[in-house]
Structures are given as C-alpha cells and as structure tokens.
Amino acid sequence: MPPNSPPASKPAPLPPRVRNAIEAVQALLSRELSRSVDDALDAAHRDLFELSERSNAPLLQAHWLGNLQRLVNNRYRLFPRLLAELRAALESIREQPVAPERPATPQVVTRAEDMRLVEDTGPDEAAMLAELGRRQESRAGLPLLLLGQRFGVLAAAPAFTATALPVGAHGLASMFMRAVDELGLDEDARKVLLRAFDREAVSRYAPLAEAMNAVLDRAGVLPGLSFVPLRPRPANRPPGSRRVADGDRASAGTGGDAGATGSEPGGGVADETAGTTGGTPGIDAAPGTPRPAGLNEAQRLAQMRQWLAERRQLLKRLSGTGDAPRAPALGAMELDNVLAALQVGPGALRSTAELRQAVHEQARRLGSNSTLGEEDADSLALFARLYTGLQEHTDPRMHDVLAGLQLPLLRLAMRDLGFLVRASDPARRLLATVAEAGAGHHGADSLDPQLLQRLQEVVRSLSLQYPHDAEVFERANAALEEPLQASLRRAEIAERRHVEAARGRERLLSARRHAEAAIDWALAGHEPARFLRTLLEHAWTDALAMVALRHGTASATWHEHIATTAAIAEAIRGGTPAEPAHAERARQALGLVGYHPDPAAAIAGHLTGQADPDEDPASRTELVIGMKDRSRLGGGDALAPDPAERGAERAHAGERQWLARLQSVPAGQWIEFDSPNSPGGVVRLRLAWHGEDSERVLLLGVRGHPPSEPPVTTLRGLARLVAAGKARLLGETPDELLDQAWRGMIDQLVSPASADTAPAGNPGSM
C-alpha cells in the first residue's frame, strides 16, 4: 500500500488450502520478478542516460539526469513495495471485483498550464498498460485462460478475465507502476521505465504464466485442467485421418467457444477421442498442407505426429507392406533400459538412422527381439530432426556438449516429447542455453571459453545421471547460472568500452570538421602558399579541434580562437601581421596538442605573419618535416572503406528509404547478415551505436566485441545490404536457436518436398 493511502479494511482470512496455493504463487513470483525488476531498472538506467546524452538543450539534459539520479537513489525501495502490492492483491482476492468495468476514455483538453518540458506525443501510461495487457493476452492466451479459471476457484467467483487477473500481465505491470511511485520519477521517466519493464519482464510472461499454472496444479487447484475447441466434426472425414488426444495441455485460444475440462465440477466439454501419443489435441490436416495460423507449439507437435502417421500409412499402402507382420514393439520400460545402456557408452552425435540402428543393436545385445514401435519411432525421428538442425547451426566446438546431452534428452523425449514445447521445462531450458551459447549465427569469436569449459563439465556430469528426475536438470541450470551471468557482465563491460570509444571518435571527428570549416570560412576561398597551407591543415586544424573538444563550439574560448583564425587568414591574404595576442593564443593552442614551445612559437609566428622574412629556408623544411612526423589528432581514425560500398552504384529509392529508417533505429537492435562461411550461413551482430555526424555504425557480437572483419561500417552501407536482402533487422530480442530449429523442422515436415520420406520404421528414413 502507498505510504500516505488511507487504511483499508483487513481482508477476511482465506481458507488454508487457498492461502497455501496463493503463497506458492507469491513465492514463485517473488523469485522470478526479482531478476526481471533488476533488469528493467538497469535498462531504464541506460535509457535515461542515453536520453541525457542525446539532449542538446541544457534543460532537457538536466531533466533526464535528475530522473536518473532519483532512480539510482531510490531503486532499492521499489521491489519491497512491489511485493507489498502483490501480497495485498492476492490476500484480498475474494474482496476485489472480478470483472471491473472498462474505464471511460478521458477527454483530452490542451491547456497552457499543461505544457511540459519534454514534448510527448505518445500514449499515456494507462494506454500503455492496456496495450501491454492486450499484447500478452494474444501471446499467452491459453495460460491466461487457465489462470483465470483457477483464480476463479480460489476467489469462489466466476473465472477472471485477463485484465482483472491480479497476476496477469496487465495486473503485474499495474502493480509495478504503483511501486514506481517510490522512485519519485516524473511522467516521462515513468514511461521510460514502463517500456523497460515491458522489454525485460513482460516479454517473458508466457513461461511465467505456465509456471504459475503448474504451481496451482500441484497445489490441487483444478488439477489436469485443459481446454479443447468446440467445433463441429466434418461430415466426411478423410480416410486415415484421426484426432490425437492430449494428456497434458491443449489450447483453443481465449474465445468464448473454449470448454474447460478438469477434476472440478462445472467444466466444459472434454475431448474423449483416445489417442496413443502424449501430445496435444490433433488437427485434421493432411500431410503437406500449410501450417495453420493460431496454433501453439504443442498443437503443432501433435499435428506433426499426425502427419507422420498418415504418411506412414500412405507409404505402406503404396508399397504393399501394410499387412506385413511386424516385430513386437519395445515397451516403455524396455526402451528406456536400452537407451540407458547407450547413455553410459561413449558420447557421439547420431543422426536419425544412426540412433535407430543403435537402439536395435543394443536391444539385441540385451537379448530382446523387439524393435521400435511406430509412435516411438516418430518421437525419435522428431527429436533427431531437431537435434540435427541444432548441430548444423552450432559452432563445431559445441558438438561434444550436444553429444553428451543427446541420449539423456532422448530418454526424456521418448516418455514425453512435449517437454520441447514447454518453455519453462528445465530440460528444455538447458538445451536452449547450450544451443544459444554455441549458436553459429553469433560468429566465430562468440564462444566464451570460460563458459564452454563450464558447459562441458555440467553436461559431462549430467550425461551419467537419471534424466527422468527434473531436479537433475534444475541443478544443471543452477550450475550454469553464475557463469552465464559472468559472461553477460563481461559482454556488457566490453560493449560499454567500445561504445564509449566510438563516441569519443565521433566527437573527435566532429571537432575536426568544425575546425576545417572554420579555417575554410576564414580563408574565404583564398589559396595560401603551400608552406602555409601545410601549417593550417596539420598544426592549426589539430589545435582548433582540441579547443572544440575541450570547451565546445558554443564557448567563449572557441570564439576567441575563431577570431585568431580570422586574424591568421587576414595576415595570409593581406600580408599584415596579426596582433601579438593572437600569436600568443596560437602558440598556447599548439601546445595543447603536444607541440614543444619552440616549434609552437615558430608555427604561430609563420601563421600570424610575425616570423622573420629573412629566415633560412632550411628551418622551414625542418619545421615541416618535424610536423609531418608527428601523429595527427585523430589522424589514424580515418573512416575505412565500407565493404558494402565497393563497386556500388548510385543509391536507389529502396536504399534511401532504408537509410532514413535506420537513422531513427535505436541502439540495441540485432541484425542478421548473410555469411556463407558461418554455420547456418548467417551471422548476427548488435547495432550498439551509430554516429549522427559520420554515419558510422558499431556492430558488436554477443560477447560485446566487434568482428575482425565487419560486414559493414556505415549506415549507408547497411541500408544497401538490407535493401538487397543480404541483411535483416531482428529487433532487440531475436529468437533463440532452439526456436529456430523447431520452426525449421515444422516447415520441413509441412513442405510437400518432404512427402517422399521413407516410413518411420525404416532406418534410412527421415
């Protein structure tokens, strides 16, 4: 509760079972939100600092820096307030309205007194919360629907809507924004923090909702609850097609045509069609049909099983082997024993055919004449396809780690292949971590050697353990938490250093351009003698650039040196020596860039016309030679030719449009480049910074370092690659390698080109 809010009436005590279930959910959220809130605060810290850096007006810069200071000083108060808000919402679950009316949209009236320091044309905070909730409702429709049903039971009320659900995405974000009151931020900074919370926490809401459902399921709140669609059965079902039932979870979206099934009374319609897989409700579709929209991954898993079964039946009819006798199928326990015997052997990555062959040979060594059943063969084939996709897109140095995981995960998949589509499953999280650590699209230099060593140790230990105990994978994930965080911190430090160096080079380049422009303005088209031109282009340009760097081009010091530049130009054009004050100022400015007093005085004398006209010409030659031997201020930072610009013709309309778009793209976007020499044929780099003056881009890998040969160095070159289809923008959180491999396997099965796959029982198939 807010500190100054009026005391609320104490909620009625909850029944013990309800209180235990709510405390379990609260404990889960406390653990998960702790990290997410820290990430959001860190991201907001970076965003506010960036806004202050980009602000040209002093008032704007002070505005953002003030908010940043308040965030730093008060951030420790936010999470306890959030936990208090969460506790209060859960404990008063039976008092609050379940379906509050939608608030009316307030009428916006513009008044002079409402004009604020920062112009804001975006949505207000309430609209942002509403949009956030709608977005997650579409992404996590099924988990939210199940949570609404379960919280309705806890509250002894009708099912909660996604908006009214206290632990929904909208509810958690609203609690977070109430807790933000502790920071004392103004409205602009609150929006920055809300966007950071959306990116760092709410974007991962779907697995969190699944975890909350699992907690309530274990607590006995509608255990086994699932949803199936109420749709009419087709009058003429195609021959060989059937429905595949689900033993775990099924999704029908969040519409009103969904029925609930579970152990509690008042459920909806159950799908009683029995199946032999442990997947999800089947989709009546023939092999090769396009993947329907709106299906979750669990449903696609069931659909793939159905396609494989129908394809197997079709191939049997075509080959005339449909009635041929089959060897007895290995039972579940017998198959697990066979795989356990393979697990203790030497680890090696095996293809689908090699895995089947190894299973058959090991079964014979154990004295069994049985072979894989059709559905077990399908499970093995699907898992092996996915693993092959991972292998093809990972760094070869990670293949021994993948090999150590293959058989433990295969044993798990033969019992429950659905773990691959449950984002919160510890085994899937471990596989995703291993795959992403060695993803080939991160480049050849992306594999952290310290993390690789730890991965090898963890997988070596896990490969000898019983994989059906979830604690085994939980411990493995916990063992990797510290090295993963350490690797992330090293990457952040490296990225920060590279970005600061790039900004420094950009400031230096801008200062040099200001200096060159000032000299050209002062000369007004006059071409000085070669000796004087050399002094201007080398010594005086460096001196003016240093003044611009130290004091800025709006300072009085800069204007004084501009006056000296004008006096120098007048002395060069008219032969009239400049005043001694200008010569002294020029000498001091040259000393700022490292010239010793005597050469500095000599150069200043020649520039201001006060040098001895009868001076020995050899001294001039010696002065020029010494000056050219010196390293220029920023002289080694010339912009290298962009690989994407070589041989390029004039930019066409598409490139110009992309260039305009890229100029407004914020830092932090991942970009995928075609790279034939990388595993998978692509490489991902992060757009960490781009210069507004030079149009340079800083592309960094996952470890925070630039590649040895960047594919592009300027925004213009990047626009050319994107327009040509050789590069693609992926956003701030691109899909992980495991998700890519999963979708690639689905697309391969959906494609009609895969229809000639051999039957699942054939070792050479798939």
Side-chain angles (χ1 to χ4, degrees):
M1 296 292 291
N4 300 324
S5 60
S9 59
K10 187 176 181 180
L14 299 172
R17 289 186 62 189
V18 174
R19 175 166 292 279
N20 291 338
I22 285 178
E23 288 178 352
V25 172
Q26 184 177 342
L28 170 68
L29 289 174
S30 298
R31 293 194 304 270
E32 297 297 328
L33 290 177
S34 175
R35 184 187 308 167
S36 299
V37 168
D38 281 342
D39 292 343
L41 290 172
D42 292 341
H45 186 285
R46 293 192 296 269
D47 293 344
L48 290 173
F49 183 76
E50 286 286 340
L51 288 169
S52 68
E53 286 283 297
R54 295 178 184 176
S55 300
N56 296 324
L59 286 177
L60 285 178
Q61 191 173 37
H63 163 78
W64 293 120
L65 288 176
N67 281 290
L68 177 59
Q69 188 63 47
R70 289 191 291 275
L71 184 145
V72 171
N73 293 340
N74 300 321
R75 63 178 292 170
Y76 71 94
R77 301 168 58 181
L78 188 145
F79 190 63
R81 170 70 180 278
L82 177 59
L83 292 183
E85 293 280 349
L86 176 63
R87 187 183 308 110
L90 292 177
E91 289 180 352
S92 59
I93 190 173
R94 295 199 170 187
E95 277 70 30
Q96 60 186 4
V98 174
E101 296 182 358
R102 185 185 297 271
T105 303
Q107 182 179 5
V108 179
V109 180
T110 304
R111 299 172 299 179
E113 58 268 24
D114 291 336
M115 296 181 66
R116 299 168 44 235
L117 178 64
V118 179
E119 181 182 1
D120 185 9
T121 59
D124 59 12
E125 188 175 303
M128 292 172 65
L129 288 170
E131 174 59 26
L132 175 151
R134 284 193 298 269
R135 188 168 61 250
Q136 292 305 320
E137 186 176 354
S138 64
R139 294 178 181 175
L142 175 62
L144 278 170
L145 196 58
L146 297 179
L147 276 177
Q149 294 282 345
R150 288 189 162 109
F151 268 82
V153 172
L154 293 174
F160 280 65
T161 64
T163 304
L165 191 63
V167 294
H170 182 275
L172 291 178
S174 299
M175 293 179 199
F176 177 80
M177 294 311 295
R178 291 197 293 272
V180 171
D181 293 343
E182 299 291 334
L183 303 180
L185 305 180
D186 64 14
E187 185 176 350
D188 301 299
R190 287 173 65 91
K191 290 182 182 180
V192 172
L193 185 51
L194 178 55
R195 293 189 186 99
F197 184 72
D198 188 7
R199 294 194 308 268
E200 302 296 334
V202 182
S203 61
R204 300 191 288 266
Y205 178 75
L208 178 61
E210 291 179 359
M212 285 190 283
N213 273 307
V215 166
L216 292 175
D217 187 271
R218 290 194 296 268
V221 182
L222 296 181
L225 179 67
S226 61
F227 285 81
V228 296
L230 294 178
R231 59 180 181 270
R233 295 177 179 269
N236 298 317
R237 187 180 300 276
S241 65
R242 61 186 179 91
R243 298 171 66 89
V244 184
D246 177 20
D248 299 327
R249 300 286 185 268
S251 170
T254 57
D257 60 346
T261 66
S263 60
E264 295 293 327
V269 179
D271 185 355
E272 298 176 354
T273 306
T276 53
T277 67
T280 58
I283 308 300
D284 300 321
T289 54
R291 182 172 58 190
L295 301 182
N296 63 17
E297 300 300 340
Q299 287 175 307
R300 292 184 183 131
L301 173 60
Q303 188 179 46
M304 286 188 290
R305 284 183 176 277
Q306 182 174 337
W307 285 335
L308 289 174
E310 292 176 352
R311 186 175 300 158
R312 184 172 53 248
Q313 296 299 324
L314 176 62
L315 291 174
K316 282 182 179 180
R317 290 197 301 271
L318 293 176
S319 61
T321 60
D323 299 329
R326 287 182 55 86
L330 287 165
M333 187 63 69
E334 189 178 9
L335 176 58
D336 191 67
N337 290 336
V338 170
L339 294 175
L342 290 174
Q343 182 180 337
V344 299
L349 278 173
R350 296 181 174 96
S351 65
T352 307
E354 291 169 342
L355 280 173
R356 286 204 189 93
Q357 187 66 27
V359 169
H360 296 159
E361 292 177 355
Q362 185 63 43
R364 286 195 295 271
R365 282 195 293 268
L366 295 178
S368 173
N369 294 323
S370 302
T371 185
L372 282 171
E374 290 183 342
E375 292 176 1
D376 286 336
D378 288 348
S379 295
L380 184 145
L382 290 173
F383 177 81
R385 272 181 179 266
L386 177 65
Y387 228 76
T388 300
L390 291 177
Q391 178 185 354
E392 292 173 351
H393 292 80
T394 52
D395 191 300
R397 290 171 291 177
M398 286 294 295
H399 288 177
D400 60 336
V401 180
L402 287 174
L405 272 179
Q406 188 178 36
L407 281 167
L409 291 178
L410 178 60
R411 291 178 66 186
L412 195 61
M414 300 309 288
R415 288 195 177 188
D416 177 21
L417 190 62
F419 85 90
L420 289 171
V421 297
R422 293 193 293 270
S424 60
D425 190 285
R428 187 192 187 280
R429 285 193 285 117
L430 178 62
L431 179 58
T433 299
V434 170
E436 195 62 26
H441 57 232
H442 288 316
D445 302 328
S446 64
L447 195 54
D448 189 331
Q450 299 179 41
L451 179 59
L452 174 61
Q453 181 180 2
R454 187 57 177 157
L455 283 169
Q456 291 170 338
E457 295 172 356
V458 169
V459 172
R460 191 181 303 117
S461 173
L462 185 142
S463 63
L464 301 177
Q465 299 186 43
Y466 183 66
H468 302 304
D469 183 4
E471 289 296 325
V472 170
F473 294 99
E474 289 286 6
R475 289 195 297 271
N477 285 314
L480 292 174
E481 184 69 24
E482 183 178 350
L484 284 171
Q485 292 298 321
S487 178
L488 181 61
R489 287 193 296 271
R490 288 194 294 270
E492 289 177 348
I493 292 172
E495 178 175 342
R496 193 179 304 119
R497 289 174 178 171
H498 285 296
V499 170
E500 289 301 321
R503 286 175 177 164
R505 289 193 294 269
E506 182 75 2
R507 288 193 293 268
L508 177 57
L509 177 63
S510 178
R512 288 189 62 83
R513 288 182 175 176
H514 279 291
E516 292 168 355
I519 293 174
D520 290 341
W521 164 82
L523 290 175
H526 176 74
E527 184 62 30
R530 183 177 179 181
F531 171 67
L532 294 176
R533 167 61 72 179
T534 302
L535 296 183
L536 287 171
E537 291 180 347
H538 288 72
W540 189 239
T541 298
D542 288 354
L544 278 183
M546 178 61 75
V547 172
L549 279 176
R550 286 196 173 186
H551 303 282
T553 56
S555 65
T557 303
W558 169 258
H559 290 295
E560 290 174 355
H561 285 77
I562 291 298
T564 298
T565 304
I568 289 174
E570 183 63 29
I572 292 174
R573 286 196 304 266
T576 304
E579 296 180 0
H582 291 300
E584 177 61 20
R585 184 176 295 125
R587 186 189 65 78
Q588 293 177 358
L590 291 167
L592 294 177
V593 291
Y595 281 93
H596 291 291
D598 291 341
I603 294 172
H606 286 296
L607 289 175
T608 57
Q610 295 187 358
D612 184 1
D614 299 328
E615 183 183 16
D616 185 3
S619 62
R620 291 190 177 190
T621 304
E622 183 179 352
L623 186 63
V624 171
I625 292 175
M627 182 175 55
K628 289 188 175 182
D629 287 341
R630 290 177 49 84
S631 58
R632 298 289 308 279
L633 180 64
D637 194 45
L639 189 61
D642 195 317
E645 297 285 345
R646 294 171 185 166
E649 299 178 358
R650 191 178 219 170
H652 56 71
E655 294 175 12
R656 292 194 296 270
Q657 292 174 359
W658 270 110
L659 178 60
R661 178 178 173 184
L662 290 171
Q663 287 171 343
S664 61
V665 168
Q669 302 288 314
W670 285 93
I671 304 174
E672 185 178 79
F673 297 90
D674 291 342
S675 177
N677 297 326
S678 300
V682 296
V683 63
R684 287 181 183 177
L685 297 171
R686 190 165 180 261
L687 180 61
W689 172 88
H690 65 81
E692 297 180 0
D693 190 15
S694 65
E695 288 191 350
R696 298 188 193 199
V697 293
L698 177 63
L699 298 171
L700 302 179
V702 70
R703 295 180 61 192
H705 296 287
S708 55
E709 296 183 2
V712 69
T713 57
T714 65
L715 274 181
R716 193 172 300 276
L718 179 58
R720 175 166 282 110
L721 290 183
V722 176
K726 298 179 181 179
R728 293 154 294 280
L729 271 65
L730 303 179
E732 294 186 359
T733 54
D735 293 336
E736 293 183 339
L737 179 59
L738 182 57
D739 296 324
Q740 285 184 280
W742 179 258
R743 283 197 302 273
M745 181 182 65
I746 293 176
D747 294 337
Q748 188 178 9
L749 287 174
V750 171
S751 172
S754 62
D756 57 352
T757 305
N762 186 346
S765 66
M766 299 191 71

